[in-house]
Amino acid sequence: MQHIWPIGGGKGGSGKSFLVSNLGVWLAMQGKKTLMVDVDLGAANLHTLVNIPYPEKCLSDFINKKVDTLDETIIETSTDNLYLISGANNNLDASNLVYSQKIRVLRAITKLPYEYILLDVGAGTSFNTIDFYMISDYGVFVSTPEPTSIENVYRLIRSVYFRKIRQMLNQQDFKSIIEQAGVLCKESSIDYLSAIPFLIKDREPETGKIIELMLQNIQYRLVLNQHRKRDNPNLGFLMCKMVKKYLGIKMEFVGNIHFDERIHDAVRKKVSFISRYPYTQAASDIRELCNKMLLISSQDSIAGDEHVQVHHL
Ligand SMILES: Nc1ncnc2c1ncn2[C@@H]1O[C@H](COP(=O)(O)OP(=O)(O)O)[C@@H](O)[C@H]1O
Ligand SMILES: [Mg+2]
């Protein structure tokens, strides 16, 4: 069974690419055939983290139809079972993909024969970021414990939620529902977006039911990186509670990763942190949170629930 985990966050520098590369190594070390895809189109650097300074092929070769299949852009890394589609030589056009190009990439990704596919989604709330979360219900969001980073992640989750609902309705209905929700929630502290599914259900019970099911299937995960001793260790739980309360979306806090200066050293030396410093707290944090995510995935696989979402696109 294939598992696709888009991994992103609201802010650059929070450790998304670091997490993708280390999760990739850890999954591969456990014998899982894993592919990392660098879809951070404007700031691709995953190749550097796995010490491939000059990848001979990359995602834009597929986007620009230099090759026919996405398969042809895959590169082996020095870790057994770990593969990469690099974004290294993406030209400027690639960072502004049109929707149909994105769909083509997403469809092709779902056809690749890998057990785990990790997408390095990058930062921000542009369509380039949000659309890559449409592929799976198992998005991972990375933040630091700083309020600015948390705020950006909340904004990103909100945009993904908005986009998921948006694509189920025609433009006119969507506009009028948004207006109605805005009026309804004007005086309350509730995020007006959370009222939208109820309003749709009132007007169009069938569509409302589909949206309700779609939202129920979401199983997001939150990682807080660069955790320092003075940070509240339960901040992640509070954040997940907030997402549930204001948006009604399930998000599980899978763990803190401690701040460690040696991560900088590992990046500088282009070695995998988890292999070079396996005995550190941060490495143990990554193993633990990865195992937690594997457990959730395996439970969902047993229930037959984990599925990709490209048909919605
Ligand atoms: N837990 C951590 N402790 C210390 N430094 C970290 C940690 N996580 C990431 N970093 C540092 O932050 C830098 C930026 O991380 P990166 O993964 O490239 O960010 P992003 O992809 O989110 O923009 C890394 O190169 C590393 O030096
Ligand atoms: Mg990055």
Side-chain angles (χ1 to χ4, degrees):
M1 177 149 189
Q2 185 198 49
H3 304 267
I4 303 182
W5 297 350
I7 301 178
K11 240 183 157 189
S14 47
K16 299 173 293 292
S17 304
F18 161 72
L19 181 64
V20 170
S21 60
N22 282 273
L23 282 179
V25 169
W26 177 238
L27 287 166
M29 280 165 75
Q30 293 178 92
K32 310 216 179 277
K33 198 177 167 203
T34 303
L35 172 70
M36 306 180 293
V37 188
D38 200 342
V39 292
D40 187 354
L41 299 166
N45 55 20
L46 206 46
H47 56 287
T48 307
L49 287 168
V50 290
N51 201 9
I52 304 179
Y54 306 107
E56 74 272 22
K57 326 175 238 194
C58 79
L59 185 60
S60 65
D61 293 340
F62 177 70
I63 295 168
N64 299 333
K65 305 198 173 164
K66 214 168 129 187
V67 295
D68 292 329
T69 63
L70 189 57
D71 210 53
E72 292 166 74
T73 64
I74 297 173
I75 307 169
E76 274 184 34
T77 72
S78 58
T79 307
D80 280 351
N81 292 320
L82 185 62
Y83 299 82
L84 171 74
I85 295 181
S86 156
N89 306 319
N90 282 338
N91 46 32
L92 281 178
D93 292 347
S95 56
N96 274 316
L97 285 188
V98 296
Y99 191 63
S100 58
Q101 286 174 315
K102 251 174 294 186
I103 300 293
R104 187 167 159 259
V105 171
L106 288 172
R107 291 224 163 101
I109 288 175
T110 64
K111 297 205 174 83
L112 297 173
Y114 289 81
E115 207 177 340
Y116 286 87
I117 300 183
L118 314 180
L119 308 184
D120 186 343
V121 173
T125 52
S126 71
F127 282 140
N128 262 350
T129 306
I130 297 165
D131 285 339
F132 287 113
Y133 275 100
M134 296 298 121
I135 197 172
S136 147
D137 285 328
Y138 297 83
V140 180
F141 295 85
V142 185
S143 174
T144 70
E146 290 175 340
T148 44
S149 184
I150 298 257
E151 190 182 335
N152 288 7
V153 162
Y154 182 77
R155 197 168 295 143
L156 171 60
I157 296 168
R158 203 173 173 276
S159 306
V160 172
Y161 169 91
F162 192 75
R163 182 99 170 120
K164 275 189 179 264
I165 296 179
R166 170 72 191 87
Q167 64 191 9
M168 309 290 288
L169 297 173
N170 70 45
Q171 202 169 351
Q172 210 176 359
D173 285 352
F174 188 69
K175 208 169 152 235
S176 90
I177 292 240
I178 290 281
E179 278 166 12
Q180 198 185 348
V183 172
L184 252 175
C185 300
K186 205 172 168 198
E187 305 295 322
S188 79
S189 63
I190 295 206
D191 192 328
Y192 79 98
L193 283 190
S194 65
I196 294 176
F198 301 102
L199 295 175
I200 296 171
K201 220 173 164 189
D202 258 3
R203 285 193 198 186
E204 289 178 49
E206 278 303 306
T207 316
K209 193 93 197 116
I210 294 169
I211 289 179
E212 193 177 60
L213 278 174
M214 179 184 78
L215 295 174
Q216 275 169 9
N217 278 334
I218 293 178
Q219 296 264 5
Y220 289 154
R221 296 107 196 240
L222 175 69
V223 175
L224 290 191
N225 186 30
Q226 305 186 33
H227 174 87
R228 290 168 167 92
K229 279 199 190 84
R230 56 188 176 278
D231 290 320
N232 176 357
N234 295 319
L235 190 62
F237 292 111
L238 299 174
M239 165 81 173
C240 292
K241 251 183 155 170
M242 191 171 89
V243 169
K244 179 78 192 160
K245 180 176 171 192
Y246 291 111
L247 296 175
I249 290 180
K250 270 180 278 167
M251 181 157 84
E252 180 156 341
F253 175 49
V254 287
N256 293 305
I257 303 173
H258 280 71
F259 182 89
D260 192 322
E261 290 290 351
R262 285 164 287 192
I263 291 175
H264 172 73
D265 293 338
V267 174
R268 212 168 38 88
K269 291 179 189 148
K270 300 187 188 107
V271 292
S272 149
F273 175 75
I274 205 163
S275 325
R276 175 71 184 78
Y277 300 101
Y279 49 84
T280 56
Q281 177 66 54
S284 138
D285 294 337
I286 295 168
R287 289 192 297 267
E288 221 171 276
L289 69 86
C290 182
N291 292 343
K292 228 182 234 180
M293 295 202 288
L294 285 176
L295 193 69
I296 303 171
S297 289
S298 67
Q299 284 164 348
D300 286 338
S301 306
I302 291 166
D305 270 352
E306 187 154 353
H307 50 274
V308 291
Q309 300 287 312
V310 177
H311 52 279
H312 284 321
L313 292 167

